[in-house]
Amino acid sequence: MKNKIVVALGGNALGNSPKEQLELVKNTAKPIVDLIEEGNQVIIAHGNGPQVGMINLSMETASRCNSKTPEMPFPECGAMSQGYIGYHLQNAIREELLNRNLEMQVATVVTQVIVDKNDDAFNNPTKPIGAFYSEEEAKRLEIEKGYVMKEDAGRGYRRVVPSPIPIDVAEKEIVKTLVDNNHIVITVGGGGIPVIKENNSLIGVPAVIDKDFASEKIAEILDADYLIILTAVEKVAINFGKENEKWLDTLTVDEANAYIEEGHFAPGSMLPKVQAAVKFASSKKGRKALITSLEKAAKGIKGETGTLIMD
Ligand code: ADP
Ligand code: MG
């Protein structure tokens, strides 16, 4: 056995519609199966921003137009997104494995991620979700449903939900068992369904856990060697988009922290990736994080490209 690797897939691995996704996952499966073929144990995590947004928006629109269509709570929308994204990914990976005569099983685990009900994020919701509303409608929703509504860049009002930090993964023992038995697991989809623990209950909360942080959490729990964050860029840059832009091959934890302080990474896109990479690389000696593009994943793990973050 070579390495245990958690691969976190970004938006470009899945596309913008179910039809597009079904096509795109064929390509997404290739670098994943490359890693498996080389003898690595691979665990797959993925984002769900556009997908959960689409489900939420469809259900909201349908129930606004037709009183017979029930409202779909946000955690349920997240669960739905894990289901259909997992279904596409697991079939694409299965097919790619069979094409290479690899007999392995792939499963998606509907995964809940535990958050702290006292997380500060609950006092300051930041993630916009769902449809745009007029100021009037927004006021009504705040009163009737207790939503927090915020104006979104001149386009109207949207519901905002908190983005709490992941504390634990409810299904971690199942994921571990599957991984230990050499099965391929898709887990913490969309950062996991956010739940709070109350006695014996896990209660879904309307929130969005950052998939980069949730992937980092499961990588720590599984004692992975690598966290690979696959996104739209081959490397991380400082002075990104400026004339003195510099693409980075390696980053120590201290360097990464200094660049974070200097504001080189955009919040909501590159910042959570670098933060997750730093957290993983500093969690235990020898752990490494790699940020690169989907296409360059196999080269990246060989040390030929990408940005490697290690202590
Ligand atoms: P994902 O869907 O994979 O999470 P995001 O779009 O959220 O992807 O984040 C990746 C994007 O972050 C890149 O495509 C790039 O445009 C942007 N980005 C912001 N700051 C940087 C930086 N310093 N270096 C590289 N990319 C950056
Ligand atoms: Mg992102």
Side-chain angles (χ1 to χ4, degrees):
M1 189 57 60
K2 285 189 173 170
N3 288 302
K4 192 185 280 181
I5 304 173
V6 171
V7 175
L9 300 170
N12 65 331
L14 302 172
N16 291 309
S17 70
K19 206 172 157 207
E20 201 177 298
Q21 180 175 289
L22 195 54
E23 273 307 303
L24 270 180
V25 289
K26 292 180 191 163
N27 281 325
T28 303
K30 287 186 180 128
I32 292 171
V33 177
D34 287 343
L35 294 174
I36 297 167
E37 198 169 27
E38 284 163 16
N40 300 296
Q41 267 182 320
V42 178
I43 300 95
I44 298 123
H46 60 83
N48 77 343
Q51 295 79 10
V52 74
M54 176 187 70
I55 294 168
N56 184 244
L57 182 57
S58 313
M59 299 304 294
E60 247 176 37
T61 308
S63 70
R64 260 158 103 187
C65 298
N66 173 358
S67 60
K68 287 197 188 114
T69 308
E71 280 177 32
M72 191 60 66
F74 194 67
E76 277 75 352
C77 293
M80 287 173 150
S81 77
Q82 285 189 350
Y84 93 88
I85 296 170
Y87 152 61
H88 280 179
L89 277 175
Q90 77 189 36
N91 274 350
I93 294 168
R94 174 185 179 273
E95 191 172 327
E96 189 63 31
L97 287 164
L98 288 174
N99 288 345
R100 303 191 201 186
N101 295 316
L102 295 169
E103 289 227 0
M104 292 176 81
Q105 306 299 312
V106 194
T108 302
V109 175
V110 174
T111 310
Q112 304 172 87
V113 171
I114 297 161
V115 298
D116 180 356
K117 68 170 188 290
N118 297 315
D119 191 308
D120 217 26
F122 288 105
N123 301 319
N124 180 30
T126 51
K127 287 253 177 199
I129 56 164
F132 290 91
Y133 294 90
S134 69
E135 192 176 351
E136 223 179 19
E137 285 175 304
K139 289 236 161 73
R140 185 177 54 77
L141 286 167
E142 285 189 321
I143 294 162
E144 280 179 12
K145 303 215 167 122
Y147 291 176
V148 181
M149 306 292 291
K150 276 193 189 151
E151 218 279 324
D152 189 347
R155 295 176 294 179
Y157 285 77
R158 286 176 94 185
R159 182 179 182 197
V160 286
V161 297
S163 187
I165 286 166
I167 306 268
D168 204 0
V169 176
E171 290 77 15
K172 65 183 172 191
E173 293 304 329
I174 290 162
V175 174
K176 261 188 211 163
T177 303
L178 289 169
V179 172
D180 288 347
N181 283 283
N182 223 16
H183 300 310
I184 295 147
V185 190
I186 299 159
T187 182
V188 297
I193 304 160
V195 294
I196 54 173
K197 226 175 168 171
E198 261 178 34
N199 303 317
N200 286 339
S201 303
L202 294 174
I203 301 163
V205 287
V208 174
I209 301 168
D210 198 296
K211 74 106 181 22
D212 299 312
F213 295 142
S215 306
E216 192 281 330
K217 180 55 75 181
I218 195 73
E220 273 194 47
I221 290 172
L222 296 173
D223 194 19
D225 306 293
Y226 271 93
L227 170 64
I228 306 188
I229 300 178
L230 298 182
T231 184
V233 284
E234 188 172 334
K235 293 180 186 181
V236 179
I238 50 170
N239 302 309
F240 178 67
K242 296 183 188 152
E243 58 199 33
N244 56 346
E245 177 179 80
K246 187 179 164 212
W247 299 98
L248 305 168
D249 297 322
T250 55
L251 263 177
T252 65
V253 166
D254 288 345
E255 283 166 345
N257 280 327
Y259 290 143
I260 289 172
E261 280 289 302
E262 290 170 18
H264 285 284
F265 313 121
S269 63
M270 192 47 79
L271 180 61
K273 298 183 203 323
V274 177
Q275 286 174 324
V278 163
K279 186 157 190 287
F280 185 68
S282 44
S283 62
K284 190 175 165 186
K285 205 172 159 18
R287 285 180 180 167
K288 294 174 190 161
L290 178 74
I291 301 174
T292 191
S293 65
L294 191 60
E295 301 74 38
K296 298 290 160 80
K299 280 185 120 186
I301 193 88
K302 292 194 190 100
E304 292 167 16
T305 191
T307 304
L308 186 71
I309 297 100
M310 56 190 285
D311 216 357

